[in-house]
Amino acid sequence: MMLSRTDTHKFLQAWPEALRPDAMAVSRHLPFSDGRAIPDYAHPRFVLDGEEVYIPGRIYCPEPDFGAEPPQFTETQLRIYHCTFLRNHNGFVRQRALAALDKDLGYWMVPFALQLLGEYVFEIIADLDKYITGGNMPAIARFEKENPIYWKKTQDRICSYWVYYRSRFPDIRQYPARLIANRINAAL
C-alpha cells in the first residue's frame, strides 16, 4: 500500500525541495494508505536555509516488513526513511530509527532528531545524547538560530516532562534532556 494523496502531500512538506524526489521514492515503501497516517494537527513549522518545512508531530503506521528483499535505497533515501520513523507513534520504533541513523546528522535531519529531545521517553533521550556531539553542534546551532521559537518551546517541554522523572533526577540540572539542552545553548 502506498500513501494516500493527502498523506503524500503532508509527507513531502517535511523535506526541503531538493530532497523531495528522494522522499517520494521512500514514500512508495511506506505502509499507509487511508489518508489518516499523518494527522492534520501538530505539524511543527521549521525553517531550513530559509525554506519552510512542516514535520509531522506523529506518523501512524507500522514499520514495513521488507522480508528478504528490502528496497535499494540510496544513502539519502535511507536517512529519510529513518527520519520518517523518528516521528512514529510507537516509542520503540522511534528508538530503533534513531539507532539506525549515522551519527553524523545532516542539517535537514536536525529537526527530526531534536524533536525527540522535547518528548517524554527517557530511553530515547539517553540514546539521543550520542548525537548531540561536537561534530553535529554546528548544524544544531545553525538550526536553533533559524528556529529560536521552536528551541524555546523544546526547552519548555524538557521542563514539563522532567516532572515524570523527578524522583530519579530531583535536580532538573541533572536531567539528561536538560544537560543536552545546556550543551546546545553553550554552542549557540
Side-chain angles (χ1 to χ4, degrees):
M1 294 199 282
M2 290 179 50
L3 286 168
S4 70
R5 173 177 274 168
T6 301
D7 283 336
T8 299
H9 176 73
K10 292 176 196 173
F11 180 73
L12 293 177
Q13 287 183 324
W15 313 100
E17 189 69 39
L19 293 175
R20 288 186 184 158
D22 286 311
M24 181 58 95
V26 170
S27 75
R28 293 183 188 109
H29 299 281
L30 299 178
F32 32 75
S33 65
D34 65 1
R36 295 177 297 171
I38 304 175
D40 287 330
Y41 65 89
H43 287 264
R45 179 188 72 83
F46 299 105
V47 177
L48 295 173
D49 288 329
E51 184 178 349
E52 288 187 356
V53 296
Y54 296 86
I55 296 176
R58 284 288 179 255
I59 294 176
Y60 295 88
C61 73
E63 282 180 287
D65 181 6
F66 295 124
E69 295 189 34
Q72 297 300 307
F73 288 141
T74 66
E75 182 178 331
T76 298
Q77 291 167 353
L78 191 58
R79 286 177 166 201
I80 288 170
Y81 175 82
H82 292 307
C83 283
T84 297
F85 283 95
L86 289 178
R87 304 311 318 137
N88 193 270
H89 67 283
N90 183 320
F92 294 110
V93 172
R94 292 193 306 274
Q95 191 170 22
R96 282 192 296 274
L98 181 63
L101 281 175
D102 184 353
K103 297 290 187 264
D104 179 27
L105 297 176
Y107 182 59
W108 59 268
M109 299 165 66
V110 170
F112 288 91
L114 284 186
Q115 280 189 294
L116 298 170
L117 187 60
E119 294 181 357
Y120 55 88
V121 182
F122 174 77
E123 293 79 7
I124 295 175
I125 292 168
D127 290 348
L128 183 63
D129 188 47
K130 299 173 213 156
Y131 294 83
I132 312 299
T133 62
N136 288 323
M137 282 303 197
I140 292 168
R142 184 171 134 210
F143 174 78
E144 298 309 342
K145 287 177 183 173
E146 264 195 298
N147 298 278
I149 294 170
Y150 171 76
W151 181 232
K152 167 78 170 92
K153 188 181 287 187
T154 297
Q155 293 182 87
D156 292 345
R157 286 185 177 133
I158 289 169
C159 292
S160 295
Y161 286 124
W162 165 69
V163 171
Y164 297 104
Y165 298 100
R166 281 171 70 165
S167 62
R168 195 166 171 189
F169 304 99
D171 183 346
I172 193 171
R173 293 173 297 181
Q174 299 308 311
Y175 177 48
R178 181 74 260 162
L179 292 170
I180 294 169
N182 288 345
R183 280 203 321 264
I184 293 170
N185 286 333
L188 293 177

